[in-house]
Amino acid sequence: MSIINQQRNPVLLIHGIGDTEIVFRKMRAYLIQQGWSVHALNLVPNNGDLGLDKLANQIVDYVTANFAPEQPIDLVGFSMGGIVSRYYVQRLGGIKRVQRFITISSPHNGTVLAYASQRPGCIQMRPNSLFLQDLNSDIDMLKQLHFTSIWTPYDLMIVPAKSSQMLVGKEMIVRVGLHSWMLTNLNTLAAVSEILAQPIN
């Protein structure tokens, strides 16, 4: 067991809009019990007032402050946090640090609910936004790491729910009724743990 633990990367959790790292309370406890070192940061502001590209710099700062330069990490992003994490991976050098990358109910292709707000971060999460078009223009980058999208077809925050699908990596469908339940559902927790335990090729 100790050999397995030595091969495990620290896990960094990135929350969604309007959330704090508290939303990962159950997932964090679950993963710690499974033997992972788990970290989370609070994105500030968390309401969309700041562009997702700007928020991604907070991941850079956190990683620099908390992990040794040669330490690989695994990244889990929920909802908006998955898109912020993608910007970190694809645009800010995270591709060199992250080995396993999981998004949970993230609007990779936008959500129509983002039209309800004029905040910069929300505008970036609209379907066909210039921001998402740019990120999606080179999603093949994500083939360099172990990428998985976990989503539910019943999501009422990511509309349409299939916006959480990606053309690269793997996908796992967890059939839960509410967006927020994706972080507490036992099937999701088991899926995250299983993915994080998979060997890196």
Side-chain angles (χ1 to χ4, degrees), residues 15-141:
H15 64 76
I17 195 165
D19 294 332
T20 67
E21 53 101 7
I22 294 297
V23 296
F24 289 115
R25 184 173 53 228
K26 186 171 183 178
M27 180 178 291
R28 188 174 196 166
Y30 181 91
L31 292 175
I32 289 172
Q33 189 176 28
Q34 300 279 326
W36 271 277
S37 168
V38 184
H39 302 254
L41 76 152
N42 287 316
L43 299 172
V44 180
N46 65 355
N47 62 357
D49 272 349
L50 198 63
L52 309 191
D53 48 326
K54 304 293 193 302
L55 289 178
N57 282 295
Q58 295 176 30
I59 302 180
V60 176
D61 294 342
Y62 186 92
V63 169
T64 301
N66 290 276
F67 305 114
E70 69 281 359
Q71 173 65 60
I73 63 170
D74 294 338
L75 195 56
V76 179
F78 171 61
S79 194
M80 177 192 78
I83 308 303
V84 175
S85 297
R86 275 187 63 194
Y87 195 88
Y88 163 68
V89 168
Q90 292 180 239
R91 297 289 178 265
L92 299 179
I95 194 82
K96 299 173 185 173
R97 297 295 300 264
V98 176
Q99 290 189 332
R100 299 173 189 87
F101 179 23
I102 302 169
T103 60
I104 302 172
S105 293
S106 291
H108 295 296
N109 299 292
T111 172
V112 297
L113 266 64
Y115 284 107
S117 172
Q118 293 297 320
R119 291 171 173 163
C122 296
I123 291 172
Q124 289 175 327
M125 287 189 287
R126 292 176 180 176
N128 297 314
S129 72
L130 292 176
F131 179 80
L132 289 177
Q133 285 183 42
D134 174 62
L135 276 186
N136 289 333
S137 69
D138 61 357
I139 56 172
D140 281 355
M141 280 182 71

Side-chain angles (χ1 to χ4, degrees), residues 120-190:
C122 296
I123 291 172
Q124 289 175 327
M125 287 189 287
R126 292 176 180 176
N128 297 314
S129 72
L130 292 176
F131 179 80
L132 289 177
Q133 285 183 42
D134 174 62
L135 276 186
N136 289 333
S137 69
D138 61 357
I139 56 172
D140 281 355
M141 280 182 71
L142 298 178
K143 292 178 181 177
Q144 298 176 43
L145 42 73
H146 195 290
F147 174 72
T148 308
S149 171
I150 303 175
W151 63 287
T152 173
Y154 310 126
D155 208 318
L156 297 178
M157 287 290 288
I158 310 303
V159 182
K162 66 180 181 181
S163 175
S164 292
Q165 290 182 295
M166 287 280 275
L167 296 175
V168 299
K170 299 178 181 177
E171 73 171 355
M172 297 184 74
I173 296 175
V174 179
R175 298 182 183 278
V176 303
L178 289 178
H179 188 68
S180 60
W181 290 357
M182 289 294 285
L183 294 183
T184 57
N185 182 275
L186 286 177
N187 290 325
T188 304
L189 300 183

